[in-house]
Amino acid sequence: MIHSTRNIFHKPWMPLTVMAGAFVVLCSIYAWATPIFEASDERWHFGMVDYIANNNSLPVQNPDIETAYEQEGSQPPLYYILSALMVRSIDRGDFADYSQPNPHALVGVPGAVGNKNMILHNDLTPPLRGTPLAVYLLRGFSIVLGTITVIAVYYTARQLGGSSYAALAAGITAFNPMFVFITASVNNDNLVTMLNSLAIWQLVIMGWRGFNWRRSAFIAVVVALGSLSKLSGNVLVPVIALAAAYIAWRDNNWRGFVTLGFMMAGVWALLASWWYLRNIQLYGELFGTHMMVQVAGPRLEPFTVGTLISEFEGFRVAYWGLFGGVNVLTFSAYYPIMDVLTLLAVVGLGYALWQITPHLWHTLSRYRRPLGILDALNLYWVFATVVFATLFLTASISLIAWTAQTYASQGRLLFPYVAATSPLLASGLLALWKRPKWELTTAALAIYGTFALMVPFASIRPAYTPPPPLTEAPAGINEVYARYGDIELIGYQTPNQRYEPGDDVPITVYWRVLEQSDRDLSAFLTAVNLAGEAIGTVDTYPGGGTLRTSTWQPGAIYADTYAVPLADNTDGLFDLRVQVGWWHYPTEARLEAENEDGSQLESVMLSVGGFADGNRYPVRNLFGPSDRVIYDNSIELMGFTIVDDNHIGMTWEAKRRIQGDYTIFVQIIDDDGNIVGQGDTKPPLSTQYWRRGDRIVTGHIISYPQEVSPDIYTVLVGWYDAQDFSRLALPSDEDNAHELAPMNLPGYNLPDSVRE
């Protein structure tokens, strides 16, 4: 088996054939897994195609007018023109129907639960006619472009090393889930990436064979076409100029250098200059980037080094796998693994350069003399590595400059230079591998390819799949009832735990459908504090945005799962509740909630756990007992204070975690031992959520069943379980009740010695 695997790499055509075939299959699966217009900016890319196909002209950008193409109308147009020619005969009159935006979509928020879908879908796999047919046709066009890119990466690396190295470089490209995702979408990145990759491939060949007018003409054409596909195509120009200058110096062939320069300038003027001149005429700028920023939205805060560092995490994640509207992640372990591999590749490149450094200066000093094959290969590898690294650095600087103007910190924007970055990564990894290269390549591609195959099924498609209807609610849910028109809330599930500022509260609510709605309604789930103020909310269509009320089945039950975010600045200790309701987004009108008997409910509040901000509140103005009073070794009475007539406040401290939910009793006892007044209450934060060190203040209003005469009364305080009325033990008292200072009641006319 090993022998046969090795033979694959002895046949240069075999690994590329397998790689290209696997890539096409992967792209097809990703195209199926991603509903139309759910890929990054696909709706606007297609909107640009649709406009050109309908009008036979390019749009004129106006930041004050909302369009179907938005900032993509400022992009170089070659991809859109070619795409428009492909779909112009297809009836796309239903484009607006298939591109209705989800008003609650959480674009660019990968950690959020639900609302990943930017578009409202009736069917994740619509019939292949009209707009869906046009979209899938263009996705197929993009897959062709991406396949050519993989081939170009392979041959670029093959020019520098063996089949194992070329296969690894191509595999790093072809099995990168993010690259597959973008390739399987309508996106102009695919054309410029292909053209740039072809140019890089030919530039690397030029570095070995020297100038050739046919190769120079080819480079000039693909660079000009790349410049007309996306502005990132222009990044190659200074790198090609530097590389060509080195080749001219090395070979003493400045005529070839000048020929290449004139060809690039002439072809660009012939093929691409018209669009740049159009920008000057319309917008007063060569590249049109200022207008694009106005349409896309400028960066609102200053761009600093700190900003760059803070956004780097999202940048690297978006290179390896950040799908949908920059809001769908895959397995969390994948990203640090790719970080480690990238770091190893950098170390490997440094190690490889260090190994050949002793021979490098000797080789350069003999550049006019015939070189041995080993010296020539070493010098060629260094040339290519420097070209790749320079291109990566130039592209990064360009991207940072663009990111400083608008929010564009996405690593996928480096894909147009993948013919440089993938060979760099492959070189570094193989430099550290001391065993036969084909072993690492085979293992790496098998693992990476398998993972890339898992992503659409495990991460992408599930983000857009609505919850299935249920015939009955699962056992063990918290039963509750509220009716909102034709929708019933019949229960919910939550972990019932303690939360802190910045946490998310997971909750699943169960809706029962009485009748299908004739309009799309939005649900809201709002976490509230002790005063009933909102501290976090989720507004959404049901099913996390995937299930429209106008499409769900009458009589069905739907499990609707969310994570309600809690504001970072929330303070206090209290039982946490989530208010649930429905509203109509276009009119902002709320639906009234009713009880089972038809009576109106002011609000529907669900108990979901406890909240504590983590602060240790000081004890102030308290009259404490002379001895420590600790109930069941769990709760200590720190003291009490008189707030006003018949109102007493107490401060407690948790000594350990408490099992159970307890209530405080305050009893007013006369001389005969009769209870003449009572002030029971639960603490604002139920004891089941208390943690060691928590300090909780409770307030008690004393009520008297009948009028009592002013006198000195005994006040007893303790804790009991409301389920069975068992009390927390107080070792100092057999009744498990502590006696506060004697008080003149009613009215709390305290002696001056104990008055606050």
Side-chain angles (χ1 to χ4, degrees), residues 153-154 156-158 160 165-166 168-170 172-173 200 204 239 319-320 341-353 380-396 414 417-432 440:
V153 172
Y154 179 87
T156 299
R158 189 70 179 84
L160 299 170
Y165 168 54
L168 183 58
I172 291 173
T173 304
I200 293 169
V204 169
V239 178
Y319 189 89
W320 299 114
L341 291 177
T342 302
L343 181 60
L344 287 175
V346 173
V347 172
L349 281 173
Y351 173 71
L353 288 170
Y380 180 50
W381 182 83
V382 172
F383 161 79
T385 301
V386 170
V387 167
F388 294 160
T390 303
L391 181 56
F392 173 76
L393 181 62
T394 305
S396 299
L414 289 178
Y417 321 103
V418 73
T421 55
S422 290
L424 280 176
L425 291 171
S427 291
L429 292 173
L430 289 173
L432 299 176
L440 174 62

Side-chain angles (χ1 to χ4, degrees), residues 213-214 216-218 220-221 258-268:
W213 74 267
R214 292 186 179 87
S216 295
F218 182 84
V221 170
V258 173
T259 300
L260 174 63
F262 272 109
M263 282 187 172
M264 290 183 64
V267 175
W268 181 87

